[in-house]
């Protein structure tokens, strides 16, 4: 009998999701310059519309009604495609609607192609429950003359009739809609689709052959395989207490191969007083991580939230800030160049714009370029909250995330940059809405870039044990 221990069984996860391309964004491998175009390819209703009747408006407005004060009419394109137009609107919810029945415990994936005619603004899908409650299920930043994919969904926590509505605060504009789909899934179906994807993307066949040195096969050879390492990056944040606590060190090193420091690399930690940099704590943590083969995500070079600048930075003039920021990026990125697996280069720049306000609208893109020069092999991430957590957040919806990525990566100097999508994942009670989260991941996955959940935590829930 021969025993063979595989040196390491590496499972590689790529979130690969196949989807029609989204308005302004052309899928996969990403020609960043081509992304400001409109959608040209016609897109059928997904799942042939699911439980939506007359999803593509071939039967005019049959099955659809006016919601609110506006009016609806049919639209027909030059090539004969029919769609529906909600016009004469005055309230955000004035639109078209169709009633469906939601069943408790099912997940509903939603999609539709929308345009906004006479402006630019968000269009959201809203489920108005029979209780009157409005549950939002996704949104997209739509515009004139361009069909955009609005993708999202809801989890039905009660059985209820629901009216599907389209909401836009741009009330002076018409909302155009085509190829609507609402597809229900039971939890079992959802799970089995996940398993199918896992089988397809993460499993492979391995054939072992045992032979004598002369090449003859060993009859009846047995194999035993022991997984010694997983390549699924699973980690935890780490703070300065780890430096002096051996209990904390043991606890951490036993469990995690990846880490992000909570605050210790941030500008406000390494340069509390202007000109007095102090990396003692960050260096000690880097050294601990390296000794224990723990990979480090660098967090962060800059943070676009005005509240979280070092105190002395808050009141600098633009020229002073430019100098100080150049010193900061040069210092921290050079110091750890080649030692980190990622940098959150400009944290939360969809929600905030401290640097853009003071240094001009290209500030973020310029710092990605600079970081890339200083540390060309490290993946530069955007890092945002609410993109998968909360579909009501207009600033960080997946569409705006892609647009920001596009802005950064098409900026001169950023060609060839290794970029990543960081999703913080601060889930409140009652979240995540799995159907919405899946849709957001689908949209972001169409870039082909790696997607990481970077700061996952979950709010307190009544059924929580601890
Ligand atoms: C909707 O689907 C039809 C085919 O069923 C297609 O001809 C049409 O262009 C699609 N509409 C949009 C906006 O993609
Ligand atoms: C069901 O979900 C909605 C929307 O997330 C929430 O407002 C409501 O409180 C939930 N109801 C129950 C019974 O959990
Ligand atoms: C190869 O080596 C094995 C083990 O030493 C032996 O049993 C076998 O007969 C050899 N085969 C040939 C073709 O020499
Ligand atoms: C660790 O302990 C040393 C010695 O007691 C102390 O000087 C240092 O400040 C401590 N570091 C941290 C991060 O607590
Ligand atoms: C740098 O920080 C460490 C840890 O907080 C502290 O012990 C040390 O005195 C600081 N060095 C200077 C020069 O301020
Ligand atoms: C910055 O300016 C504000 C008002 O403009 C002032 O209240 C604050 O004290 C100043 N902060 C510093 C650190 O100078
Ligand atoms: C921003 O960058 C673009 C090139 O991508 C350039 O055309 C434009 O002038 C820059 N704007 C400012 C304010 O620097």
């Amino acid at each position: 009998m021969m025993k063979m221990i595989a040196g390491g069984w590496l499972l590689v996860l790529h979130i690969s999701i196949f989807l029609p391309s989204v308005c302004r964004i052309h899928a996969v491998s990403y020609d960043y310059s081509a992304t400001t175009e409109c959608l040209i390819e016609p897109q059928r209703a997904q799942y042939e519309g699911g439980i939506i009747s007359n999803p593509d408006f071939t039967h005019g407005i049959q099955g659809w009604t006016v919601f609110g004060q506006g009016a609806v009419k049919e639209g027909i394109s030059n090539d004969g495609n029919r769609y529906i137009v909600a016009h004469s609107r005055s309230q955000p919810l004035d639109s078209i609607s169709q009633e469906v029945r939601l069943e408790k415990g099912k997940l509903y994936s939603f999609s539709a192609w929308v345009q906004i005619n006479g402006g630019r603004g968000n269009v959201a899908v809203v489920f108005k429950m029979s209780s009157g409650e409005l549950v939002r299920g996704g949104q997209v930043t739509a515009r004139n003359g361009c069909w955009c994919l609005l993708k999202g969904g809801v989890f039905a926590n009660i059985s209820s009739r629901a009216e599907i509505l389209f909401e836009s605060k741009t009330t002076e504009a018409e909302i155009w809609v085509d190829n609507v789909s609402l597809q229900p899934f039971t939890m079992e179906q959802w799970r089995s689709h996940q398993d199918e994807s896992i089988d397809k993307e993460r499993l492979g066949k391995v054939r072992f052959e045992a032979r004598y040195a002369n090449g003859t096969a060993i009859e009846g050879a047995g194999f035993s395989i022991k997984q010694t390492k997983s390549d699924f990056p699973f980690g935890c944040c780490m703070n300065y207490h780890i430096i002096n606590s051996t209990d904390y060190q043991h606890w951490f090193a036993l469990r995690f191969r990846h880490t992000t420091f909570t605050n210790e690399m941030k500008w406000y930690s390494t340069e509390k007083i202007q000109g007095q940099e102090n990396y003692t704590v960050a260096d000690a943590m880097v050294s601990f991580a390296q000794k224990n083969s723990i990979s480090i995500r660098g967090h962060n070079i800059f943070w676009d939230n005005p509240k979280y600048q070092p105190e002395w930075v808050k009141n600098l003039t633009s020229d002073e800030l430019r100098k100080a920021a150049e010193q900061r990026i040069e210092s921290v990125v050079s110091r750890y160049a080649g030692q980190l697996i990622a940098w959150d280069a400009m944290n939360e720049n969809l929600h905030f714009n401290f640097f853009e306000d003071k240094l001009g609208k290209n500030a973020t893109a310029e710092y990605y370029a600079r970081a890339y020069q200083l540390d060309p092999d490290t993946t530069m991430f955007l890092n945002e909250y609410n993109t998968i957590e909360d579909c009501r957040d207009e600033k960080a919806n997946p569409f705006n995330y892609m647009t920001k990525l596009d802005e950064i990566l098409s900026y001169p100097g950023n060609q060839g940059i290794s970029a990543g999508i960081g999703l913080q994942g601060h889930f409140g009670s009652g979240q995540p809405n799995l159907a919405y989260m899946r849709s957001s991941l689908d949209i972001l996955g169409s870039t082909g870039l790696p997607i990481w959940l970077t700061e996952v935590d979950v709010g307190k829930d009544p059924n929580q044990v601890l």
Side-chain angles (χ1 to χ4, degrees), residues 267-269 271-274 306-316 321 354 358:
W267 197 2
Y268 66 61
S269 300
E271 195 176 357
K272 285 195 187 82
I273 300 166
Q274 183 167 21
K307 246 172 50 192
Y308 296 110
Q309 308 305 322
E311 277 308 312
W312 60 270
V313 165
K314 292 181 179 171
N315 288 359
L316 296 180
L321 177 63
F354 175 79
K358 297 220 174 190

Side-chain angles (χ1 to χ4, degrees), residues 243 269 272-273 276-282:
I243 295 173
S269 300
K272 285 195 187 82
I273 300 166
Q276 297 184 24
E277 291 179 338
N278 187 339
Y279 288 99
T280 310
V281 175

Side-chain angles (χ1 to χ4, degrees), residues 133 135 155 157-158 430:
E133 188 186 4
V135 178
F155 172 71
N157 56 5
I158 47 167

Side-chain angles (χ1 to χ4, degrees), residues 159-235:
S159 290
S160 169
R161 300 206 73 80
E163 281 176 275
I164 300 174
L165 312 174
F166 296 85
E167 178 184 49
S168 175
K169 289 181 189 133
T170 315
T171 49
E172 67 281 9
E174 295 177 351
I175 302 175
W176 295 15
V177 181
D178 200 6
N179 295 348
V180 185
S181 166
L182 188 69
Q183 176 68 27
F185 296 98
T186 63
M187 280 296 187
E188 292 72 31
Q189 288 167 331
W190 194 263
R191 181 72 225 176
S192 80
H193 289 149
Q194 286 175 332
D195 289 342
E196 263 170 43
S197 300
I198 291 168
D199 286 354
K200 187 158 158 255
E201 302 295 334
R202 287 163 57 186
L203 297 183
K205 283 194 178 139
V206 178
R207 184 158 163 257
F208 293 92
E209 276 185 1
R211 293 178 184 280
Y212 293 110
N214 63 15
T216 307
I218 302 172
E219 259 178 60
F223 292 88
S224 119
I225 294 168
K226 189 172 155 210
Q227 181 172 339
T228 58
K229 194 180 166 199
S230 161
D231 200 37
F232 187 95
F234 182 66

Side-chain angles (χ1 to χ4, degrees), residues 129 133-136 155-158 429-431 433:
M129 302 300 175
E133 188 186 4
L134 300 175
V135 178
R136 280 169 181 77
F155 172 71
N157 56 5
I158 47 167
S429 176
Q431 294 172 335
N433 166 351

Side-chain angles (χ1 to χ4, degrees), residues 25-84:
I25 310 292
H26 290 244
V28 195
S29 79
Y30 232 72
D31 173 3
Y32 290 101
S33 61
T35 56
T36 47
E37 290 165 23
C38 276
L39 183 81
I40 297 156
E41 298 284 307
Q43 302 287 343
R44 295 171 169 277
Q46 299 187 316
Y47 309 107
E48 288 164 357
I51 59 173
I52 299 292
S53 73
N54 187 22
D56 56 5
F57 306 100
T58 42
H59 307 295
I61 60 173
Q62 188 186 310
W64 296 87
T65 53
V66 179
F67 183 86
Q69 304 302 312
V72 301
K73 64 181 184 209
E74 251 186 282
I76 302 184
S77 70
N78 292 339
D79 62 2
N81 177 49
R82 288 161 187 268
Y83 50 90
I84 198 166

Side-chain angles (χ1 to χ4, degrees), residues 386-449:
N386 281 353
T387 307
I388 50 171
E389 300 95 308
D390 193 339
C391 67
R392 295 165 307 181
D393 190 322
E394 296 189 5
K395 288 185 171 162
N397 71 38
F399 181 89
N400 289 337
Y401 199 115
M402 304 255 289
T403 306
K404 179 62 84 179
L405 252 179
D406 186 21
E407 250 171 59
I408 294 171
L409 297 180
S410 60
Y411 187 74
N414 286 340
Q415 286 63 41
I417 201 169
S418 153
I421 293 175
L423 305 171
Q424 295 181 3
H426 299 293
F427 297 107
S429 176
Q431 294 172 335
N433 166 351
L434 287 182
Y436 175 72
M437 183 171 165
R438 165 75 207 264
S439 291
S440 301
L441 290 173
D442 278 354
I443 293 169
L444 296 168
S446 70
T447 61
L449 297 177

